[in-house]
Amino acid sequence: SSGRKPMDIKFLERYLPEGIPFPFSRSYSIVARSRIFRDFYRQVAEEVALRLNEGRILDVGTGPGYLPIEIAKLVEKAEIIGIDLSEDMIRIARRNAEKESVKVKFLVMDANNMSFEDSYFDLVLSTGSLHHWKKPLKVISEMRRVLKESGEAWIYDLRKDAPDELIANKLREYGYGKLTRSVIFRMVKLHSGISLKEMMEIGEKAKEIFRNCSIEESWHSFPVMKLRLCI
């Protein structure tokens, strides 16, 4: 057949950016500030606080920086860094941290080639960024390189093949109207997320890099999967 496959890698690499450029960064920041996403960031931050009360934490694909900001409120002794390929996202994240009066460092950096030294972080996180990565194993390899021997990587992303009714019910719980529910629903189904099968395929390949890999369905405020990678 002459037609391209739905997940053709060359097509993705050519047309889809890994970072969200201006002006789309501004609309994304507004969506990420909504209650449903802020609840998700708080819940992940609580998971982090249960594991660490100090150390170095990296957030890959930090966007507007809401996750590191929430972590900084709970883990005050930690050194927290957020990186993103989008310069405008980093500008937004720095302003958000200043407004919240928390100490978080935000850097413009490519997750495929991080400038951090080896074995630097205790925990590496990523939320909602995996589906943007053109070469996920390259990013995962970089995560492994910058992690200490006792460290872990937690990669979260929306599950776009979650049951339709479950997604609709979650949106209703947050009081979204029919039109808004339709927009968010289509966004998740068409772009913002990854299927369970895709996540399992990435996890299987990641076993060559990390000793232990597991996938957890963390429903949180929205249907989410968590790829947990342990050294």
Side-chain angles (χ1 to χ4, degrees):
S1 173
S2 59
R4 67 172 180 84
K5 297 178 181 179
M7 287 299 292
D8 187 278
I9 298 301
K10 290 185 178 179
F11 176 83
L12 290 176
E13 289 184 355
R14 182 175 179 185
Y15 293 105
L16 296 181
E18 288 188 286
I20 301 177
F22 178 86
F24 304 107
S25 52
R26 301 305 171 99
S27 56
Y28 181 89
S29 178
I30 293 171
V31 172
R33 195 168 62 231
S34 63
R35 187 162 64 93
I36 190 169
F37 284 101
R38 293 302 290 268
D39 279 357
F40 169 60
Y41 295 134
R42 277 192 289 269
Q43 289 158 0
V44 174
E46 289 169 1
E47 289 182 35
V48 172
L50 288 174
R51 174 173 171 79
L52 295 174
N53 55 23
E54 60 183 1
R56 296 189 180 115
I57 301 169
L58 174 65
D59 183 34
V60 174
T62 195
Y66 295 127
L67 176 58
I69 289 169
E70 291 300 325
I71 294 172
K73 295 175 183 177
L74 298 177
V75 191
E76 296 180 0
K77 294 181 180 180
E79 176 187 351
I80 306 167
I81 300 175
I83 65 170
D84 202 284
L85 195 59
S86 168
E87 293 184 12
D88 194 53
M89 281 296 193
I90 293 300
R91 280 193 291 268
I92 294 169
R94 288 170 178 167
R95 286 200 297 268
N96 288 336
E98 187 176 349
K99 289 177 185 176
E100 296 282 354
S101 300
V102 294
K103 187 177 180 181
V104 181
K105 183 186 292 184
F106 291 106
L107 303 170
V108 177
M109 191 180 297
D110 185 353
N112 293 279
N113 187 24
M114 300 184 209
S115 60
F116 304 113
E117 62 187 67
D118 296 354
S119 305
Y120 189 78
F121 292 98
D122 298 280
L123 181 65
V124 176
L125 305 164
S126 180
T127 55
S129 180
L130 174 61
H131 65 273
H132 285 290
W133 300 347
K134 297 171 185 176
K135 298 178 180 179
L137 291 183
K138 172 64 174 171
V139 178
I140 288 172
S141 293
E142 276 292 274
M143 289 179 166
R144 171 64 180 86
R145 181 184 66 78
V146 302
L147 273 169
K148 296 178 181 179
E149 287 303 314
S150 59
E152 294 187 7
W154 299 351
I155 303 172
Y156 300 78
D157 214 336
L158 297 175
R159 182 178 172 183
K160 67 180 181 182
D161 62 339
D164 293 356
E165 189 59 29
L166 177 61
I167 296 176
N169 286 340
K170 285 291 182 180
L171 294 174
R172 286 193 197 98
E173 288 175 13
Y174 278 83
Y176 290 113
K178 187 175 181 180
L179 178 60
T180 304
R181 289 202 308 269
S182 176
V183 170
I184 297 176
F185 182 85
R186 290 180 182 275
M187 178 184 71
V188 171
K189 287 290 182 178
L190 294 176
H191 174 61
S192 297
I194 189 169
S195 69
L196 176 59
K197 181 181 178 182
E198 290 166 334
M199 179 72 94
M200 290 176 67
E201 288 173 352
I202 293 171
E204 191 63 31
K205 292 176 181 177
K207 289 179 180 178
E208 300 175 8
I209 304 167
F210 281 83
R211 177 172 51 86
N212 289 324
C213 304
S214 62
I215 297 173
E216 304 168 11
E217 295 202 58
S218 334
W219 296 106
H220 294 89
S221 55
F222 209 73
V224 170
M225 292 179 293
K226 172 185 178 182
L227 178 61
R228 183 178 181 183
L229 305 171
C230 306
I231 296 174

